[in-house]
Amino acid sequence: FCAEGVPVGDKAAYDAKYGADLWKEDIEQYDKVCKVEPFQRGLKTCNTDCMINGRTRWQGFERAWIDQFENAPIGGGLAKCNPIAYWTLEDTFDYIAKYEVPHHPLHAKGYPSIGDAKDTIPIPEDGSTKFVDFKFEGDKTPWLDYASERKGRFVGLENKDGSTKTECGIHVAGAEQTFDRDLWEEGKVQNIASSEEALEIIKGDKEAIVVVYAPWCQFCQGMEDEFTKYAESAGVPVYKFRGDEEREFVQEFLNTESFPTVNLIKSDGSVVKYDSEARSADDFAKFETA
């Protein structure tokens, strides 16, 4: 399982649909597109009730209180089994060595924990600590100190609130919730089915509002109700156009670098972008008549 609508391993197809710089533009959406949604889709496809994983209390304060078993949340979700919750990283490597358990080959190149290639580094950075042929080489302390295992992950990345990034999103609260429908399936928001149809609207002689969106985008999801409410009383036709499947087109013709992007199509064919983060029905109405 990988990003929705992309063949496994096809980076060009991923870049075309989601953008090569999504991780720079919106790290939370990158996590959702590349990790959380594919992972949850896999669990759903496999009819999974309980997930066995390798989280431990030793990995840091975010996981300091996990138990060996976590019941599924009330109202639906996934039960989790954490069999090594009380182990340290040293316990783990001791077990690997004792029973010669196959482990990740990058341990032999200085990586205690493996994340994305773009933001994972050896610890220490010179790669002097390694785990080779079931034994440590170099000073193992940088790996085995409390919460040090994952220091080489998410290097240089911040969450939107400015805090240091420490999680990819798979294990955070609410990750069990998937989003597997389109937006604005009912109501007055009309669908634009193709780029050709979009051009007809842009080049027509009537004003219109067009939201460029992606159904997986949390900000698009967050404005769904208010945009629906606005469309009910709008003075112009209101349209939606799925931009993640037509990235080059929406960048060229609909001012779109991220989702959602709301545009006012003027009668002369000009396209005016709504630049505010305020997304209430009243805000959209004021933009229409400004």
Side-chain angles (χ1 to χ4, degrees), residues 137-205:
E137 294 182 0
D139 180 11
K140 61 184 180 181
T141 304
W143 284 25
L144 303 182
D145 278 346
Y146 177 74
S148 293
E149 172 188 350
R150 303 167 79 241
K151 280 185 177 178
R153 301 270 296 275
F154 314 114
V155 175
L157 299 182
E158 290 184 347
N159 297 309
K160 285 193 171 181
D161 62 4
S163 60
T164 301
K165 187 169 179 59
T166 60
E167 294 279 358
C168 71
I170 288 176
H171 296 293
V172 300
E176 294 87 0
Q177 300 176 8
T178 58
F179 202 86
D180 53 6
R181 67 171 177 85
D182 198 8
L183 301 179
W184 299 292
E185 294 180 301
E186 299 177 351
K188 295 291 185 66
V189 180
Q190 304 173 61
N191 184 50
I192 299 176
S194 67
S195 57
E196 290 79 14
E197 186 178 337
L199 280 176
E200 289 179 7
I201 294 171
I202 294 171
K203 294 178 179 180
D205 58 0

